[in-house]
Amino acid sequence: TTCSALTKVGIDDVWKLMVAFFDHMNGKGLIDQIRKEQNVNWMHETISWLLKQRFYNRPEVEQQLEEMEKAVGKGEITPQAAARKLLEL
């Protein structure tokens, strides 16, 4: 089924198909399941964001970050070792 907003052809058919699909998914509890999975994912994303914010806003990290970036760029230290040093501050 196709539709065109320009010619206004098939919009009702596509809408009916979308409603039927939603009803089918909702009837099997899949909408709720997907929403629960999205909420758990959102929680993890929020944790990651908050941890990064707290890390980068620490004064000792702000002081050392540019130096570590330069050292990594020059090949004086590996990215992993630099990250570990910053995390140990």
Side-chain angles (χ1 to χ4, degrees):
T1 303
T2 62
C3 68
S4 170
L6 293 175
T7 62
K8 298 180 179 163
V9 173
I11 293 174
D12 289 337
D13 293 335
V14 170
W15 183 254
K16 287 176 188 173
L17 188 62
M18 289 171 42
V19 169
F21 176 75
F22 180 83
D23 289 345
H24 171 77
M25 296 286 285
N26 199 35
K28 293 186 173 283
L30 296 174
I31 298 293
D32 288 338
Q33 179 184 340
I34 291 168
R35 177 62 62 208
K36 288 174 186 175
E37 291 171 5
Q38 288 173 331
N39 284 337
V40 169
N41 188 23
W42 191 7
M43 178 194 72
H44 287 287
E45 290 297 321
T46 301
I47 290 168
S48 294
W49 183 82
L50 289 170
L51 285 170
K52 286 175 77 171
Q53 289 300 313
R54 288 181 185 171
F55 172 75
Y56 284 111
N57 287 329
R58 293 176 54 213
E60 56 271 23
V61 172
E62 289 178 349
Q63 292 171 358
Q64 294 291 318
L65 186 59
E66 188 176 343
E67 183 180 317
M68 286 294 173
E69 288 173 342
K70 288 178 183 176
V72 169
K74 292 178 181 178
E76 297 171 350
I77 189 171
T78 66
Q80 296 81 3
R84 283 190 202 98
K85 283 188 176 198
L86 289 168
L87 287 166
E88 290 171 358
L89 292 175

Coordinates of all heavy atoms in Angstrom, one line a residue:
T1 N 0.8 -1.2 0.0 CA 0.0 0.0 0.0 C 0.9 1.2 0.0 O 1.8 1.4 0.8 CB -0.9 0.0 1.2 OG1 -1.7 -1.2 1.2 CG2 -1.8 1.2 1.2
T2 N 0.6 2.2 -0.9 CA 1.3 3.4 -1.0 C 0.3 4.6 -0.8 O -0.9 4.4 -1.0 CB 2.1 3.5 -2.3 OG1 1.1 3.5 -3.4 CG2 3.1 2.4 -2.4
C3 N 0.9 5.8 -0.6 CA 0.1 7.0 -0.5 C 0.9 8.1 -1.0 O 2.2 8.1 -1.1 CB -0.4 7.2 0.9 SG 0.8 7.6 2.1
S4 N 0.3 9.2 -1.2 CA 0.9 10.5 -1.6 C 0.2 11.6 -0.9 O -1.0 11.8 -1.1 CB 0.8 10.7 -3.2 OG 1.3 12.0 -3.5
A5 N 1.0 12.4 -0.2 CA 0.5 13.6 0.4 C 0.2 14.7 -0.6 O -0.7 15.5 -0.5 CB 1.4 14.1 1.5
L6 N 0.9 14.6 -1.7 CA 0.7 15.6 -2.8 C -0.6 15.4 -3.5 O -1.4 16.4 -3.7 CB 1.8 15.6 -3.8 CG 3.2 16.0 -3.3 CD1 4.3 15.8 -4.4 CD2 3.2 17.5 -2.9
T7 N -0.9 14.2 -3.8 CA -2.2 13.9 -4.5 C -3.3 13.5 -3.6 O -4.4 13.3 -4.0 CB -1.9 12.8 -5.6 OG1 -1.5 11.6 -5.0 CG2 -0.9 13.3 -6.6
K8 N -2.9 13.3 -2.4 CA -3.9 12.8 -1.3 C -4.5 11.5 -1.7 O -5.7 11.2 -1.4 CB -5.0 13.9 -1.1 CG -4.4 15.2 -0.6 CD -5.4 16.2 -0.3 CE -4.6 17.4 0.2 NZ -5.4 18.6 0.2
V9 N -3.7 10.6 -2.3 CA -4.2 9.3 -2.7 C -3.6 8.2 -1.7 O -2.5 8.2 -1.4 CB -3.7 9.0 -4.1 CG1 -4.1 7.5 -4.5 CG2 -4.4 9.9 -5.1
G10 N -4.5 7.4 -1.2 CA -4.1 6.3 -0.4 C -3.8 6.6 1.0 O -3.4 5.7 1.8
I11 N -4.0 7.8 1.5 CA -3.7 8.2 2.9 C -4.6 7.4 3.8 O -4.1 6.9 4.8 CB -3.8 9.7 3.1 CG1 -2.7 10.4 2.3 CG2 -3.7 10.0 4.5 CD1 -2.8 11.9 2.3
D12 N -5.9 7.3 3.5 CA -6.8 6.5 4.4 C -6.4 5.1 4.5 O -6.4 4.5 5.6 CB -8.2 6.6 3.9 CG -8.8 8.0 4.1 OD1 -8.3 8.7 5.0 OD2 -9.8 8.4 3.4
D13 N -5.9 4.5 3.4 CA -5.5 3.1 3.4 C -4.3 2.9 4.2 O -4.2 1.9 5.0 CB -5.3 2.6 2.0 CG -6.5 2.5 1.1 OD1 -7.6 2.4 1.7 OD2 -6.4 2.6 -0.1
V14 N -3.3 3.7 4.1 CA -2.1 3.6 4.9 C -2.4 3.8 6.4 O -1.9 3.1 7.2 CB -1.0 4.6 4.4 CG1 0.2 4.6 5.3 CG2 -0.5 4.2 3.0
W15 N -3.3 4.8 6.7 CA -3.6 5.0 8.0 C -4.3 3.8 8.7 O -4.0 3.4 9.8 CB -4.5 6.3 8.2 CG -4.9 6.6 9.6 CD1 -6.1 6.3 10.2 CD2 -4.0 7.1 10.6 NE1 -6.0 6.7 11.6 CE2 -4.7 7.2 11.8 CE3 -2.7 7.5 10.5 CZ2 -4.1 7.7 13.0 CZ3 -2.1 8.0 11.7 CH2 -2.8 8.1 12.9
K16 N -5.2 3.2 7.9 CA -5.9 2.0 8.4 C -4.8 0.8 8.7 O -4.9 0.1 9.6 CB -6.9 1.5 7.4 CG -8.1 2.4 7.4 CD -9.1 1.9 6.3 CE -10.3 2.9 6.1 NZ -11.1 2.6 5.0
L17 N -3.8 0.7 7.8 CA -2.8 -0.3 7.9 C -2.0 0.0 9.2 O -1.6 -0.9 9.9 CB -1.9 -0.3 6.7 CG -0.9 -1.3 6.5 CD1 -1.5 -2.7 6.5 CD2 0.0 -1.1 5.3
M18 N -1.7 1.3 9.4 CA -0.9 1.7 10.6 C -1.7 1.4 11.9 O -1.1 0.8 12.9 CB -0.5 3.1 10.5 CG 0.5 3.4 9.5 SD 0.9 5.2 9.2 CE 0.9 5.9 10.8
V19 N -3.0 1.7 11.9 CA -3.8 1.4 13.1 C -3.9 -0.1 13.3 O -3.8 -0.6 14.4 CB -5.2 2.0 12.9 CG1 -6.2 1.5 13.9 CG2 -5.1 3.5 12.9
A20 N -4.0 -0.9 12.2 CA -4.1 -2.4 12.4 C -2.8 -2.9 12.9 O -2.8 -3.8 13.8 CB -4.4 -3.0 11.0
F21 N -1.7 -2.4 12.4 CA -0.4 -2.8 12.9 C -0.2 -2.5 14.4 O 0.2 -3.3 15.2 CB 0.8 -2.2 12.1 CG 2.1 -2.5 12.7 CD1 2.7 -3.7 12.4 CD2 2.9 -1.5 13.4 CE1 3.9 -4.0 12.9 CE2 4.1 -1.8 13.9 CZ 4.7 -3.1 13.6
F22 N -0.6 -1.3 14.8 CA -0.5 -0.9 16.2 C -1.4 -1.7 17.1 O -1.0 -2.2 18.1 CB -0.9 0.6 16.4 CG -0.8 1.1 17.8 CD1 0.4 1.4 18.4 CD2 -1.9 1.1 18.6 CE1 0.5 1.8 19.7 CE2 -1.9 1.5 19.9 CZ -0.7 1.9 20.5
D23 N -2.6 -2.0 16.6 CA -3.5 -2.8 17.4 C -3.0 -4.2 17.5 O -3.1 -4.8 18.6 CB -4.9 -2.9 16.7 CG -5.7 -1.6 16.8 OD1 -5.3 -0.7 17.6 OD2 -6.7 -1.4 16.0
H24 N -2.4 -4.8 16.5 CA -1.8 -6.1 16.5 C -0.6 -6.1 17.6 O -0.6 -7.0 18.4 CB -1.3 -6.5 15.2 CG -0.5 -7.7 15.2 ND1 -1.0 -9.0 15.2 CD2 0.9 -7.9 15.1 CE1 -0.1 -9.9 15.2 NE2 1.1 -9.3 15.1
M25 N 0.3 -5.2 17.5 CA 1.4 -5.1 18.4 C 0.9 -4.9 19.8 O 1.4 -5.5 20.7 CB 2.3 -3.9 18.0 CG 3.0 -4.1 16.6 SD 4.3 -5.4 16.6 CE 5.6 -4.5 17.5
N26 N 0.0 -4.0 20.0 CA -0.5 -3.7 21.3 C -1.3 -4.9 21.9 O -1.1 -5.2 23.1 CB -1.4 -2.5 21.3 CG -1.6 -1.8 22.6 OD1 -0.7 -1.8 23.4 ND2 -2.8 -1.3 22.9
G27 N -2.0 -5.6 21.1 CA -2.7 -6.8 21.5 C -1.8 -7.9 22.0 O -2.2 -8.7 22.9
K28 N -0.6 -8.0 21.5 CA 0.3 -9.0 21.9 C 1.2 -8.5 23.1 O 2.2 -9.2 23.5 CB 1.2 -9.4 20.8 CG 0.4 -10.2 19.7 CD 1.3 -10.7 18.6 CE 0.6 -11.6 17.7 NZ 0.3 -13.0 18.2
G29 N 1.0 -7.2 23.5 CA 1.8 -6.7 24.6 C 3.2 -6.2 24.1 O 4.1 -5.9 24.9
L30 N 3.4 -6.1 22.8 CA 4.7 -5.8 22.3 C 5.0 -4.3 22.4 O 6.2 -3.9 22.6 CB 4.8 -6.2 20.8 CG 4.7 -7.7 20.6 CD1 4.7 -8.1 19.1 CD2 5.9 -8.4 21.3
I31 N 4.0 -3.4 22.3 CA 4.2 -2.0 22.5 C 4.8 -1.8 23.9 O 5.8 -1.0 24.1 CB 3.0 -1.2 22.3 CG1 2.5 -1.4 20.8 CG2 3.2 0.3 22.6 CD1 3.4 -0.8 19.8
D32 N 4.2 -2.4 24.9 CA 4.6 -2.2 26.3 C 6.1 -2.8 26.5 O 6.9 -2.2 27.2 CB 3.7 -2.9 27.3 CG 2.4 -2.1 27.4 OD1 2.4 -0.9 27.2 OD2 1.4 -2.7 27.9
Q33 N 6.3 -3.9 25.9 CA 7.6 -4.5 25.9 C 8.7 -3.6 25.3 O 9.8 -3.4 25.9 CB 7.6 -5.9 25.2 CG 9.0 -6.6 25.3 CD 9.0 -7.9 24.5 OE1 7.9 -8.5 24.2 NE2 10.1 -8.3 24.1
I34 N 8.4 -3.1 24.2 CA 9.4 -2.2 23.5 C 9.6 -0.9 24.4 O 10.7 -0.5 24.5 CB 8.9 -1.8 22.1 CG1 8.9 -3.0 21.2 CG2 9.6 -0.6 21.5 CD1 8.2 -2.9 19.9
R35 N 8.5 -0.4 24.9 CA 8.6 0.8 25.8 C 9.5 0.5 27.0 O 10.3 1.3 27.4 CB 7.2 1.3 26.2 CG 7.2 2.5 27.1 CD 7.8 3.7 26.5 NE 7.1 4.1 25.4 CZ 7.6 4.8 24.4 NH1 8.9 5.2 24.4 NH2 6.9 5.2 23.3
K36 N 9.3 -0.6 27.6 CA 10.1 -1.0 28.8 C 11.6 -1.1 28.4 O 12.5 -0.6 29.1 CB 9.6 -2.3 29.4 CG 8.3 -2.2 30.1 CD 7.8 -3.5 30.5 CE 6.4 -3.4 31.1 NZ 5.8 -4.7 31.5
E37 N 11.9 -1.7 27.3 CA 13.3 -1.9 26.8 C 13.8 -0.5 26.5 O 15.0 -0.2 26.8 CB 13.3 -2.8 25.6 CG 13.0 -4.2 25.8 CD 12.9 -5.0 24.6 OE1 13.1 -4.5 23.5 OE2 12.5 -6.2 24.7
Q38 N 13.1 0.4 25.9 CA 13.5 1.7 25.6 C 13.8 2.5 26.9 O 14.8 3.2 27.0 CB 12.5 2.5 24.9 CG 12.3 2.1 23.4 CD 11.2 2.8 22.7 OE1 10.2 3.1 23.3 NE2 11.3 2.9 21.4
N39 N 13.0 2.3 28.0 CA 13.2 3.0 29.2 C 14.5 2.5 29.9 O 15.2 3.3 30.5 CB 12.0 2.8 30.2 CG 10.8 3.7 29.8 OD1 11.0 4.7 29.1 ND2 9.7 3.3 30.2
V40 N 14.7 1.2 29.8 CA 16.0 0.7 30.4 C 17.2 1.2 29.7 O 18.2 1.6 30.3 CB 16.0 -0.9 30.4 CG1 17.4 -1.5 30.7 CG2 14.9 -1.4 31.4
N41 N 17.1 1.2 28.3 CA 18.2 1.8 27.5 C 18.4 3.3 27.9 O 19.5 3.7 28.0 CB 17.9 1.6 26.0 CG 19.0 2.0 25.2 OD1 20.2 2.0 25.6 ND2 18.7 2.3 23.9
W42 N 17.3 4.0 28.0 CA 17.4 5.4 28.4 C 18.1 5.6 29.7 O 18.9 6.5 29.9 CB 16.0 6.0 28.3 CG 15.9 7.5 28.4 CD1 17.0 8.4 28.4 CD2 14.8 8.3 28.5 NE1 16.5 9.7 28.5 CE2 15.2 9.7 28.6 CE3 13.4 8.0 28.6 CZ2 14.3 10.7 28.7 CZ3 12.5 9.1 28.8 CH2 12.9 10.4 28.8
M43 N 17.8 4.7 30.7 CA 18.4 4.8 32.0 C 19.9 4.7 31.8 O 20.7 5.4 32.4 CB 17.9 3.7 32.9 CG 18.6 3.7 34.3 SD 18.3 2.2 35.2 CE 19.2 1.0 34.3
H44 N 20.4 3.7 31.0 CA 21.8 3.4 30.8 C 22.5 4.6 30.1 O 23.6 5.0 30.4 CB 22.0 2.1 30.1 CG 21.8 0.9 30.9 ND1 22.7 0.5 31.9 CD2 20.8 0.0 30.9 CE1 22.2 -0.6 32.4 NE2 21.0 -0.9 31.9
E45 N 21.8 5.2 29.1 CA 22.3 6.3 28.4 C 22.4 7.5 29.4 O 23.4 8.3 29.3 CB 21.4 6.7 27.2 CG 21.5 5.7 26.1 CD 22.8 5.6 25.5 OE1 23.5 6.7 25.3 OE2 23.2 4.5 25.1
T46 N 21.5 7.7 30.3 CA 21.5 8.8 31.2 C 22.7 8.6 32.2 O 23.4 9.5 32.5 CB 20.2 8.9 32.0 OG1 19.1 9.1 31.1 CG2 20.2 10.0 33.0
I47 N 22.9 7.4 32.7 CA 24.0 7.1 33.5 C 25.3 7.4 32.8 O 26.2 8.1 33.4 CB 24.0 5.6 34.0 CG1 22.9 5.3 34.9 CG2 25.4 5.2 34.6 CD1 22.6 3.9 35.2
S48 N 25.5 7.0 31.6 CA 26.7 7.3 30.8 C 26.9 8.8 30.7 O 28.0 9.3 30.9 CB 26.6 6.6 29.5 OG 26.6 5.3 29.5
W49 N 25.9 9.5 30.4 CA 26.0 10.9 30.2 C 26.4 11.6 31.5 O 27.3 12.5 31.5 CB 24.7 11.5 29.7 CG 24.7 13.0 29.4 CD1 25.2 13.6 28.3 CD2 24.3 14.0 30.3 NE1 25.2 14.9 28.4 CE2 24.6 15.2 29.6 CE3 23.7 14.0 31.5 CZ2 24.3 16.5 30.2 CZ3 23.5 15.3 32.1 CH2 23.7 16.5 31.4
L50 N 25.7 11.2 32.6 CA 26.0 11.8 33.9 C 27.4 11.5 34.4 O 28.1 12.4 34.9 CB 25.0 11.4 35.0 CG 23.6 11.9 34.8 CD1 22.6 11.2 35.8 CD2 23.6 13.4 35.0
L51 N 27.9 10.3 34.2 CA 29.2 9.9 34.6 C 30.3 10.7 33.8 O 31.2 11.2 34.3 CB 29.5 8.4 34.4 CG 28.8 7.5 35.4 CD1 28.9 6.0 34.9 CD2 29.5 7.7 36.8
K52 N 30.0 10.9 32.5 CA 30.9 11.7 31.7 C 31.0 13.1 32.1 O 32.0 13.7 32.2 CB 30.6 11.6 30.2 CG 30.9 10.3 29.6 CD 30.4 10.1 28.1 CE 31.3 10.9 27.2 NZ 31.0 10.7 25.8
Q53 N 29.8 13.7 32.4 CA 29.7 15.1 32.9 C 30.5 15.2 34.2 O 31.3 16.2 34.3 CB 28.3 15.5 33.0 CG 27.5 15.7 31.7 CD 28.2 16.7 30.9 OE1 28.5 17.8 31.3 NE2 28.4 16.4 29.6
R54 N 30.3 14.3 35.1 CA 30.9 14.4 36.4 C 32.4 14.3 36.2 O 33.2 15.0 36.9 CB 30.4 13.4 37.4 CG 29.0 13.7 37.9 CD 28.5 12.7 38.8 NE 27.1 13.0 39.2 CZ 26.4 12.2 39.9 NH1 26.8 11.0 40.3 NH2 25.1 12.5 40.2
F55 N 32.9 13.4 35.4 CA 34.3 13.1 35.1 C 34.9 14.4 34.5 O 35.9 14.9 35.1 CB 34.5 11.9 34.2 CG 35.9 11.8 33.8 CD1 36.8 11.2 34.7 CD2 36.3 12.1 32.5 CE1 38.2 11.1 34.3 CE2 37.6 11.9 32.1 CZ 38.5 11.4 33.0
Y56 N 34.4 14.9 33.4 CA 35.0 16.0 32.7 C 34.9 17.3 33.5 O 35.7 18.2 33.3 CB 34.4 16.2 31.3 CG 34.9 15.1 30.4 CD1 34.1 14.1 29.9 CD2 36.2 15.1 29.9 CE1 34.5 13.2 29.0 CE2 36.7 14.2 29.1 CZ 35.8 13.2 28.6 OH 36.3 12.2 27.7
N57 N 34.0 17.4 34.4 CA 33.9 18.7 35.2 C 34.7 18.7 36.5 O 34.8 19.7 37.2 CB 32.4 18.9 35.6 CG 31.6 19.3 34.4 OD1 32.1 20.0 33.5 ND2 30.3 18.9 34.4
R58 N 35.5 17.6 36.7 CA 36.4 17.6 37.9 C 37.6 18.5 37.6 O 38.2 18.4 36.5 CB 36.8 16.2 38.2 CG 35.7 15.3 38.7 CD 36.1 13.9 39.0 NE 37.2 13.8 39.8 CZ 38.1 12.9 39.7 NH1 38.1 11.9 38.8 NH2 39.2 12.8 40.6
P59 N 37.9 19.4 38.5 CA 39.1 20.3 38.2 C 40.4 19.6 37.8 O 41.1 20.1 36.9 CB 39.2 21.1 39.5 CG 37.9 21.0 40.2 CD 37.3 19.7 39.8
E60 N 40.7 18.5 38.5 CA 41.9 17.8 38.2 C 41.9 17.2 36.8 O 43.0 17.2 36.2 CB 42.3 16.8 39.3 CG 41.2 15.8 39.6 CD 40.1 16.1 40.6 OE1 39.9 17.3 40.9 OE2 39.5 15.2 41.1
V61 N 40.8 16.8 36.4 CA 40.7 16.3 35.0 C 40.8 17.4 34.0 O 41.6 17.3 33.0 CB 39.4 15.5 34.8 CG1 39.2 15.1 33.3 CG2 39.3 14.2 35.7
E62 N 40.1 18.5 34.3 CA 40.2 19.7 33.4 C 41.7 20.1 33.3 O 42.1 20.5 32.2 CB 39.4 20.8 33.9 CG 37.9 20.6 33.8 CD 37.0 21.7 34.3 OE1 37.5 22.6 35.0 OE2 35.8 21.7 34.0
Q63 N 42.5 20.1 34.4 CA 43.9 20.5 34.3 C 44.7 19.6 33.5 O 45.7 20.0 32.9 CB 44.4 20.6 35.8 CG 43.8 21.7 36.6 CD 44.2 21.6 38.1 OE1 44.9 20.7 38.5 NE2 43.7 22.5 38.9
Q64 N 44.5 18.3 33.6 CA 45.3 17.3 33.0 C 44.9 16.8 31.6 O 45.7 16.3 30.8 CB 45.4 16.0 33.9 CG 46.1 16.2 35.2 CD 47.6 16.5 35.0 OE1 48.2 15.8 34.2 NE2 48.1 17.5 35.7
L65 N 43.7 17.1 31.2 CA 43.1 16.6 30.0 C 43.9 17.1 28.7 O 44.3 16.2 27.9 CB 41.7 17.0 29.8 CG 40.9 16.4 28.6 CD1 40.9 14.9 28.7 CD2 39.5 16.9 28.6
E66 N 44.2 18.3 28.6 CA 44.9 18.8 27.4 C 46.3 18.2 27.3 O 46.7 17.9 26.2 CB 44.9 20.4 27.5 CG 45.5 21.0 26.2 CD 45.4 22.5 26.2 OE1 44.7 23.1 27.0 OE2 46.1 23.1 25.4
E67 N 46.9 18.1 28.5 CA 48.3 17.5 28.5 C 48.2 16.1 28.0 O 49.1 15.7 27.2 CB 48.9 17.6 29.9 CG 50.3 17.1 30.0 CD 50.8 17.2 31.4 OE1 50.5 18.2 32.1 OE2 51.4 16.2 31.9
M68 N 47.3 15.3 28.5 CA 47.1 13.9 28.0 C 46.8 13.9 26.6 O 47.3 13.0 25.8 CB 46.1 13.2 28.9 CG 46.5 12.9 30.3 SD 47.8 11.7 30.3 CE 48.2 11.7 32.0
E69 N 45.9 14.7 26.1 CA 45.6 14.7 24.7 C 46.8 15.0 23.8 O 47.0 14.3 22.8 CB 44.5 15.8 24.4 CG 43.2 15.5 24.9 CD 42.2 16.6 24.8 OE1 42.6 17.8 24.6 OE2 41.0 16.4 24.9
K70 N 47.6 15.9 24.2 CA 48.9 16.2 23.5 C 49.8 15.0 23.5 O 50.4 14.6 22.5 CB 49.6 17.4 24.0 CG 48.9 18.7 23.7 CD 49.6 19.9 24.3 CE 48.8 21.2 24.1 NZ 49.4 22.3 24.7
A71 N 50.0 14.4 24.7 CA 50.8 13.2 24.8 C 50.4 12.0 23.9 O 51.2 11.4 23.3 CB 50.9 12.8 26.3
V72 N 49.1 11.8 23.9 CA 48.5 10.8 23.0 C 48.7 11.1 21.6 O 49.2 10.3 20.8 CB 47.0 10.6 23.3 CG1 46.4 9.7 22.2 CG2 46.8 10.0 24.7
G73 N 48.5 12.4 21.2 CA 48.7 12.8 19.8 C 50.2 12.7 19.4 O 50.4 12.4 18.2
K74 N 51.1 12.8 20.3 CA 52.5 12.7 20.0 C 53.0 11.2 20.0 O 54.2 10.9 19.7 CB 53.4 13.5 20.9 CG 53.2 15.0 20.8 CD 54.1 15.7 21.8 CE 53.9 17.2 21.7 NZ 54.7 17.9 22.7
G75 N 52.1 10.4 20.5 CA 52.5 8.9 20.6 C 53.3 8.7 21.9 O 54.0 7.6 22.0
E76 N 53.3 9.6 22.8 CA 54.1 9.4 24.1 C 53.4 8.5 25.0 O 54.1 7.9 25.9 CB 54.4 10.8 24.7 CG 55.2 11.7 23.9 CD 55.2 13.1 24.4 OE1 54.5 13.4 25.4 OE2 56.0 13.9 23.9
I77 N 52.1 8.3 24.9 CA 51.3 7.4 25.8 C 50.2 6.9 25.0 O 49.7 7.6 24.0 CB 50.9 8.2 27.0 CG1 50.2 7.3 28.0 CG2 49.9 9.4 26.6 CD1 49.9 8.0 29.4
T78 N 49.8 5.7 25.3 CA 48.7 5.1 24.5 C 47.4 5.7 25.0 O 47.3 6.2 26.2 CB 48.6 3.6 24.8 OG1 48.3 3.3 26.2 CG2 49.9 2.9 24.4
P79 N 46.3 5.7 24.2 CA 45.0 6.3 24.6 C 44.5 5.6 25.9 O 44.0 6.2 26.8 CB 44.1 6.0 23.4 CG 45.0 5.9 22.2 CD 46.3 5.3 22.8
Q80 N 44.7 4.3 25.9 CA 44.2 3.5 27.1 C 45.0 3.9 28.4 O 44.3 4.1 29.4 CB 44.4 2.0 26.9 CG 43.6 1.5 25.7 CD 44.2 1.7 24.4 OE1 45.3 2.2 24.2 NE2 43.5 1.3 23.3
A81 N 46.3 4.1 28.3 CA 47.1 4.5 29.5 C 46.7 5.9 29.9 O 46.6 6.2 31.1 CB 48.6 4.4 29.2
A82 N 46.5 6.8 29.0 CA 46.1 8.1 29.3 C 44.7 8.1 30.0 O 44.5 8.8 31.0 CB 46.1 9.0 28.0
A83 N 43.8 7.4 29.5 CA 42.5 7.3 30.1 C 42.6 6.8 31.5 O 41.9 7.3 32.4 CB 41.6 6.4 29.2
R84 N 43.4 5.7 31.7 CA 43.5 5.2 33.0 C 44.1 6.2 34.0 O 43.6 6.3 35.1 CB 44.4 3.9 33.0 CG 43.7 2.7 32.5 CD 44.5 1.4 32.7 NE 44.1 0.4 31.8 CZ 44.7 0.1 30.6 NH1 45.7 0.7 30.3 NH2 44.2 -0.8 29.9
K85 N 45.1 7.0 33.5 CA 45.7 8.0 34.4 C 44.7 9.0 34.8 O 44.6 9.5 35.9 CB 46.9 8.6 33.7 CG 48.1 7.8 33.7 CD 49.3 8.6 33.2 CE 50.6 7.7 33.3 NZ 51.8 8.5 33.3
L86 N 43.9 9.5 33.8 CA 42.8 10.5 34.1 C 41.8 9.9 35.0 O 41.3 10.6 35.9 CB 42.2 10.9 32.8 CG 43.1 11.8 31.9 CD1 42.4 12.0 30.5 CD2 43.3 13.2 32.6
L87 N 41.4 8.7 34.9 CA 40.4 8.1 35.7 C 40.9 7.9 37.2 O 40.2 7.8 38.1 CB 39.9 6.7 35.2 CG 39.0 6.9 34.0 CD1 38.9 5.5 33.3 CD2 37.7 7.4 34.4
E88 N 42.2 7.8 37.3 CA 42.8 7.6 38.6 C 43.0 8.9 39.4 O 43.3 8.9 40.6 CB 44.2 6.9 38.5 CG 44.1 5.4 38.1 CD 45.4 4.8 37.8 OE1 46.5 5.6 37.8 OE2 45.5 3.6 37.4
L89 N 42.8 10.0 38.8 CA 42.9 11.3 39.4 C 41.9 11.5 40.5 O 40.8 11.0 40.5 CB 42.8 12.4 38.4 CG 43.9 12.6 37.4 CD1 43.6 13.6 36.4 CD2 45.2 12.9 38.1

